[in-house]
Amino acid sequence: MPAGVQYGCMRIACLQLSGQDLADGMARRSAAMGLASTLADADLIVLPELWPVGFFHFDDYADSAEPLDGPTVEFAVGLAREHGCWVHGGSFIERGAGSELHNTSVLIDPAGEVSLLYRKNHLFGYESREAQLLVPGTEAPVIPVEELRVGAATCYDLRFPELFRVMLDQGAELFCVTSAWPASRLDHWRTLCQARAVENLAWLVACNAAGIDNGVPLAGHSIIVDPWGGIVAEAGTDPELLVAEIDADLVRKVRSEYPFLSDRKPR
């Protein structure tokens, strides 16, 4: 990263939850609350992908589906109000119009209002039934959060840089990624997180699940990457609370000093 840059300004927390089977949604929410119990002064909290049900629990998708005012969003709203901060509630199975199911994320403001709604655009088909069971989203919204403009993505989306360019063109300066990335492709996880950050000269916060999800080992290693591609903080393989402070001005500093994005030739 450029010399002389100091971190600060915005405190980020990733709740890296276990993907191990829990008795029910209430047990999963209790585990999340327990991990967050020592959290203080966070500006943004991020949870993993499909933590209320487990990504690889495909047979449970329909039964676990919720409306947008269901228990997962209600939990995220409560967390936001309790800590007075922004909360990216990970993702959950949303029951949409008719019988459509989506992998849906919400970003809640400190007052407990839904400020961003994102439905996973790229559904995973390799050794997965997600693409068979769910309907992809088509939007990639970006909103102001504290001093940064923030967009959201989910797991497999990391493999599609064009989605991040869509958000960049709306002024995105920080990408929030929720994920249930498997341990077998941990190297891809770290590489792709750094690539999406450095190619867009943007912050990236990626919260992954840990443990075992329906027999599939998950990678953990939630990660916070700066606009120069540097890893500011990275979790291990077990459930944990990953906290780091980031400099909201660093995006502007790097983009000003290294104006690579102005050399793009969109087609």
Side-chain angles (χ1 to χ4, degrees):
M1 60 176 290
V5 173
Q6 300 295 320
Y7 293 115
C9 302
M10 190 171 179
R11 196 166 193 235
I12 310 293
C14 293
L15 301 189
Q16 181 169 287
L17 302 174
S18 174
Q20 292 176 341
D21 297 338
L22 295 174
D24 52 34
M26 183 61 71
R28 291 177 185 273
R29 285 187 284 277
S30 295
M33 188 62 75
L35 198 58
S37 62
T38 60
L39 186 62
D41 301 325
D43 296 300
L44 172 64
I45 299 172
V46 188
L47 284 85
E49 179 185 19
L50 294 186
W51 62 273
V53 60
F55 177 83
F56 290 97
H57 285 72
F58 306 115
D59 290 339
D60 298 326
Y61 275 16
D63 289 342
S64 71
E66 310 172 20
L68 284 174
D69 58 355
T72 300
V73 173
E74 183 181 353
F75 172 84
V77 166
L79 201 60
R81 288 174 175 166
E82 177 184 354
H83 293 283
C85 69
W86 291 82
V87 173
H88 184 301
S91 72
F92 62 98
I93 301 296
E94 177 204 353
R95 186 174 298 283
S99 59
E100 287 186 355
L101 302 179
H102 305 277
N103 186 338
T104 298
S105 298
V106 293
L107 187 57
I108 310 294
D109 71 18
E113 300 296 326
V114 175
S115 294
L116 180 148
L117 172 68
Y118 174 72
R119 297 184 175 103
K120 188 176 182 181
N121 279 206
H122 301 94
L123 301 179
F124 195 53
Y126 174 74
E127 297 183 348
S128 163
R129 291 166 54 203
E130 183 187 32
Q132 301 170 20
L133 299 172
L134 305 185
V135 175
T138 57
E139 304 294 328
V142 172
I143 65 167
V145 174
E146 302 295 322
E147 299 178 47
L148 294 169
R149 289 187 60 78
V150 175
T154 303
C155 201
Y156 190 42
D157 284 332
L158 280 167
R159 293 190 179 274
F160 301 91
E162 56 271 23
L163 174 67
F164 293 80
R165 289 301 203 203
V166 169
M167 292 187 280
L168 176 70
D169 288 340
Q170 297 176 74
E173 298 166 307
L174 184 151
F175 302 120
C176 274
V177 182
T178 182
S179 189
W181 200 276
S184 60
R185 292 183 287 279
L186 172 59
D187 287 346
H188 293 188
W189 164 257
R190 189 181 288 110
T191 298
L192 290 167
C193 285
Q194 289 181 276
R196 298 296 82 85
V198 73
E199 72 191 3
N200 294 292
L201 301 179
W203 283 100
L204 184 141
V205 176
C207 185
N208 199 33
I212 308 296
D213 183 352
N214 204 18
V216 179
L218 300 176
H221 284 270
S222 296
I223 193 170
I224 298 173
V225 185
D226 73 24
W228 203 239
I231 297 175
V232 174
E234 183 173 356
T237 57
D238 296 324
E240 68 173 275
L241 177 64
L242 179 71
V243 180
E245 289 190 350
I246 70 172
D247 180 357
D249 289 330
L250 183 58
V251 174
R252 272 84 73 177
K253 293 174 183 176
V254 171
R255 289 180 180 179
S256 175
E257 186 172 355
Y258 301 93
F260 305 142
L261 295 174
S262 63
D263 293 330
R264 288 174 61 203
K265 299 187 186 305
R267 290 174 172 81

